[in-house]
PDB file of all heavy atoms in Angstrom:
ATOM      1  N   GLN A 105     208.810 155.138  86.310  1.00 40.00           N
ATOM      2  CA  GLN A 105     208.500 155.994  87.410  1.00 40.00           C
ATOM      3  C   GLN A 105     207.275 156.662  87.067  1.00 40.00           C
ATOM      4  O   GLN A 105     206.372 156.955  87.934  1.00 40.00           O
ATOM      5  CB  GLN A 105     209.708 156.918  87.659  1.00 40.00           C
ATOM      6  CG  GLN A 105     210.775 156.385  88.444  1.00 40.00           C
ATOM      7  CD  GLN A 105     211.743 157.434  88.906  1.00 40.00           C
ATOM      8  OE1 GLN A 105     211.532 158.616  88.579  1.00 40.00           O
ATOM      9  NE2 GLN A 105     212.693 156.958  89.736  1.00 40.00           N
ATOM     10  N   THR A 106     207.086 157.179  85.845  1.00 36.00           N
ATOM     11  CA  THR A 106     205.970 157.969  85.389  1.00 36.00           C
ATOM     12  C   THR A 106     204.685 157.031  85.482  1.00 36.00           C
ATOM     13  O   THR A 106     203.641 157.467  85.936  1.00 36.00           O
ATOM     14  CB  THR A 106     206.209 158.365  83.974  1.00 36.00           C
ATOM     15  OG1 THR A 106     207.354 159.295  83.954  1.00 36.00           O
ATOM     16  CG2 THR A 106     204.974 159.269  83.576  1.00 36.00           C
ATOM     17  N   GLU A 107     204.815 155.850  85.029  1.00 38.00           N
ATOM     18  CA  GLU A 107     203.731 154.967  85.109  1.00 38.00           C
ATOM     19  C   GLU A 107     203.242 154.685  86.461  1.00 38.00           C
ATOM     20  O   GLU A 107     202.146 154.620  86.774  1.00 38.00           O
ATOM     21  CB  GLU A 107     204.021 153.641  84.346  1.00 38.00           C
ATOM     22  CG  GLU A 107     204.169 153.948  82.863  1.00 38.00           C
ATOM     23  CD  GLU A 107     204.605 152.637  82.037  1.00 38.00           C
ATOM     24  OE1 GLU A 107     204.982 151.613  82.860  1.00 38.00           O
ATOM     25  OE2 GLU A 107     204.684 152.609  80.880  1.00 38.00           O
ATOM     26  N   ASP A 108     204.177 154.449  87.357  1.00 41.00           N
ATOM     27  CA  ASP A 108     203.879 154.152  88.832  1.00 41.00           C
ATOM     28  C   ASP A 108     203.340 155.443  89.485  1.00 41.00           C
ATOM     29  O   ASP A 108     202.515 155.312  90.434  1.00 41.00           O
ATOM     30  CB  ASP A 108     205.152 153.703  89.512  1.00 41.00           C
ATOM     31  CG  ASP A 108     205.620 152.404  89.038  1.00 41.00           C
ATOM     32  OD1 ASP A 108     204.833 151.600  88.388  1.00 41.00           O
ATOM     33  OD2 ASP A 108     206.721 152.100  89.279  1.00 41.00           O
ATOM     34  N   ALA A 109     203.730 156.583  88.942  1.00 37.00           N
ATOM     35  CA  ALA A 109     203.249 157.792  89.586  1.00 37.00           C
ATOM     36  C   ALA A 109     201.814 158.113  89.375  1.00 37.00           C
ATOM     37  O   ALA A 109     201.143 158.834  90.083  1.00 37.00           O
ATOM     38  CB  ALA A 109     204.091 159.000  89.278  1.00 37.00           C
ATOM     39  N   VAL A 110     201.219 157.613  88.195  1.00 35.00           N
ATOM     40  CA  VAL A 110     199.725 157.992  87.854  1.00 35.00           C
ATOM     41  C   VAL A 110     198.876 157.017  88.523  1.00 35.00           C
ATOM     42  O   VAL A 110     198.737 155.905  88.375  1.00 35.00           O
ATOM     43  CB  VAL A 110     199.734 157.751  86.314  1.00 35.00           C
ATOM     44  CG1 VAL A 110     198.292 158.295  85.950  1.00 35.00           C
ATOM     45  CG2 VAL A 110     200.746 158.661  85.666  1.00 35.00           C
ATOM     46  N   LEU A 111     198.142 157.660  89.452  1.00 35.00           N
ATOM     47  CA  LEU A 111     197.112 156.911  90.274  1.00 35.00           C
ATOM     48  C   LEU A 111     195.739 156.969  89.622  1.00 35.00           C
ATOM     49  O   LEU A 111     195.375 158.019  89.273  1.00 35.00           O
ATOM     50  CB  LEU A 111     197.051 157.423  91.701  1.00 35.00           C
ATOM     51  CG  LEU A 111     198.110 156.818  92.606  1.00 35.00           C
ATOM     52  CD1 LEU A 111     197.858 157.544  93.983  1.00 35.00           C
ATOM     53  CD2 LEU A 111     198.036 155.454  92.881  1.00 35.00           C
ATOM     54  N   PRO A 112     194.984 155.832  89.401  1.00 37.00           N
ATOM     55  CA  PRO A 112     193.661 156.026  89.088  1.00 37.00           C
ATOM     56  C   PRO A 112     192.762 156.556  90.069  1.00 37.00           C
ATOM     57  O   PRO A 112     191.884 155.741  90.643  1.00 37.00           O
ATOM     58  CB  PRO A 112     193.311 154.601  88.627  1.00 37.00           C
ATOM     59  CG  PRO A 112     194.207 153.641  89.306  1.00 37.00           C
ATOM     60  CD  PRO A 112     195.422 154.438  89.711  1.00 37.00           C
ATOM     61  N   LYS A 113     192.990 157.779  90.553  1.00 38.00           N
ATOM     62  CA  LYS A 113     192.187 158.289  91.737  1.00 38.00           C
ATOM     63  C   LYS A 113     190.771 158.745  91.292  1.00 38.00           C
ATOM     64  O   LYS A 113     190.550 158.942  90.063  1.00 38.00           O
ATOM     65  CB  LYS A 113     192.855 159.411  92.229  1.00 38.00           C
ATOM     66  CG  LYS A 113     194.273 159.348  92.687  1.00 38.00           C
ATOM     67  CD  LYS A 113     194.405 158.211  93.702  1.00 38.00           C
ATOM     68  CE  LYS A 113     193.784 158.468  95.030  1.00 38.00           C
ATOM     69  NZ  LYS A 113     193.885 157.533  96.054  1.00 38.00           N
ATOM     70  N   PRO A 114     189.851 158.760  92.182  1.00 35.00           N
ATOM     71  CA  PRO A 114     188.454 159.124  91.853  1.00 35.00           C
ATOM     72  C   PRO A 114     188.360 160.525  91.274  1.00 35.00           C
ATOM     73  O   PRO A 114     187.637 160.799  90.419  1.00 35.00           O
ATOM     74  CB  PRO A 114     187.781 159.001  93.127  1.00 35.00           C
ATOM     75  CG  PRO A 114     188.722 159.008  94.230  1.00 35.00           C
ATOM     76  CD  PRO A 114     190.012 158.417  93.665  1.00 35.00           C
ATOM     77  N   GLU A 115     189.251 161.403  91.733  1.00 37.00           N
ATOM     78  CA  GLU A 115     189.157 162.896  91.317  1.00 37.00           C
ATOM     79  C   GLU A 115     189.529 162.869  89.855  1.00 37.00           C
ATOM     80  O   GLU A 115     188.893 163.647  89.093  1.00 37.00           O
ATOM     81  CB  GLU A 115     190.233 163.622  92.065  1.00 37.00           C
ATOM     82  CG  GLU A 115     189.961 163.751  93.561  1.00 37.00           C
ATOM     83  CD  GLU A 115     190.717 162.726  94.279  1.00 37.00           C
ATOM     84  OE1 GLU A 115     191.058 161.646  93.655  1.00 37.00           O
ATOM     85  OE2 GLU A 115     190.952 162.828  95.529  1.00 37.00           O
ATOM     86  N   LEU A 116     190.281 161.956  89.348  1.00 34.00           N
ATOM     87  CA  LEU A 116     190.695 162.042  87.959  1.00 34.00           C
ATOM     88  C   LEU A 116     189.723 161.351  87.015  1.00 34.00           C
ATOM     89  O   LEU A 116     189.272 161.800  86.046  1.00 34.00           O
ATOM     90  CB  LEU A 116     192.166 161.372  87.805  1.00 34.00           C
ATOM     91  CG  LEU A 116     193.189 161.805  88.843  1.00 34.00           C
ATOM     92  CD1 LEU A 116     194.522 161.140  88.482  1.00 34.00           C
ATOM     93  CD2 LEU A 116     193.332 163.264  88.753  1.00 34.00           C
ATOM     94  N   GLN A 117     189.319 160.073  87.504  1.00 36.00           N
ATOM     95  CA  GLN A 117     188.396 159.384  86.622  1.00 36.00           C
ATOM     96  C   GLN A 117     187.123 160.033  86.491  1.00 36.00           C
ATOM     97  O   GLN A 117     186.559 160.169  85.478  1.00 36.00           O
ATOM     98  CB  GLN A 117     188.324 158.030  87.138  1.00 36.00           C
ATOM     99  CG  GLN A 117     189.430 157.030  86.721  1.00 36.00           C
ATOM    100  CD  GLN A 117     189.438 156.921  85.232  1.00 36.00           C
ATOM    101  OE1 GLN A 117     188.393 156.698  84.705  1.00 36.00           O
ATOM    102  NE2 GLN A 117     190.454 157.123  84.510  1.00 36.00           N
ATOM    103  N   GLN A 118     186.433 160.296  87.642  1.00 36.00           N
ATOM    104  CA  GLN A 118     185.157 160.915  87.609  1.00 36.00           C
ATOM    105  C   GLN A 118     185.213 162.185  86.934  1.00 36.00           C
ATOM    106  O   GLN A 118     184.232 162.711  86.301  1.00 36.00           O
ATOM    107  CB  GLN A 118     184.628 160.931  89.031  1.00 36.00           C
ATOM    108  CG  GLN A 118     184.462 159.590  89.663  1.00 36.00           C
ATOM    109  CD  GLN A 118     183.491 158.659  88.914  1.00 36.00           C
ATOM    110  OE1 GLN A 118     182.654 159.272  88.198  1.00 36.00           O
ATOM    111  NE2 GLN A 118     183.524 157.397  89.158  1.00 36.00           N
ATOM    112  N   HIS A 119     186.220 162.930  87.228  1.00 36.00           N
ATOM    113  CA  HIS A 119     186.333 164.303  86.384  1.00 36.00           C
ATOM    114  C   HIS A 119     186.275 164.188  85.009  1.00 36.00           C
ATOM    115  O   HIS A 119     185.515 164.974  84.409  1.00 36.00           O
ATOM    116  CB  HIS A 119     187.655 165.003  86.900  1.00 36.00           C
ATOM    117  CG  HIS A 119     188.036 166.171  86.163  1.00 36.00           C
ATOM    118  ND1 HIS A 119     187.441 167.401  86.375  1.00 36.00           N
ATOM    119  CD2 HIS A 119     188.974 166.425  85.194  1.00 36.00           C
ATOM    120  CE1 HIS A 119     187.912 168.259  85.560  1.00 36.00           C
ATOM    121  NE2 HIS A 119     188.814 167.729  84.726  1.00 36.00           N
ATOM    122  N   VAL A 120     186.962 163.183  84.497  1.00 33.00           N
ATOM    123  CA  VAL A 120     186.871 162.992  83.033  1.00 33.00           C
ATOM    124  C   VAL A 120     185.502 162.607  82.586  1.00 33.00           C
ATOM    125  O   VAL A 120     184.827 163.022  81.582  1.00 33.00           O
ATOM    126  CB  VAL A 120     187.857 161.947  82.539  1.00 33.00           C
ATOM    127  CG1 VAL A 120     187.603 161.604  81.122  1.00 33.00           C
ATOM    128  CG2 VAL A 120     189.268 162.520  82.795  1.00 33.00           C
ATOM    129  N   ALA A 121     184.756 161.662  83.405  1.00 35.00           N
ATOM    130  CA  ALA A 121     183.574 161.102  83.032  1.00 35.00           C
ATOM    131  C   ALA A 121     182.456 162.172  83.014  1.00 35.00           C
ATOM    132  O   ALA A 121     181.400 161.936  82.198  1.00 35.00           O
ATOM    133  CB  ALA A 121     183.176 159.966  83.989  1.00 35.00           C
ATOM    134  N   VAL A 122     182.459 163.199  83.864  1.00 34.00           N
ATOM    135  CA  VAL A 122     181.449 164.121  83.847  1.00 34.00           C
ATOM    136  C   VAL A 122     181.542 165.260  82.838  1.00 34.00           C
ATOM    137  O   VAL A 122     180.763 166.110  82.722  1.00 34.00           O
ATOM    138  CB  VAL A 122     181.167 164.689  85.152  1.00 34.00           C
ATOM    139  CG1 VAL A 122     180.781 163.585  86.239  1.00 34.00           C
ATOM    140  CG2 VAL A 122     182.358 165.422  85.750  1.00 34.00           C
TER     141      VAL A 122
END
Side-chain angles (χ1 to χ4, degrees):
Q105 282 189 359
T106 302
E107 291 174 354
D108 293 341
V110 182
L111 278 178
K113 303 303 292 178
E115 297 89 338
L116 310 185
Q117 276 299 308
Q118 297 296 340
H119 169 73
V120 172
V122 298

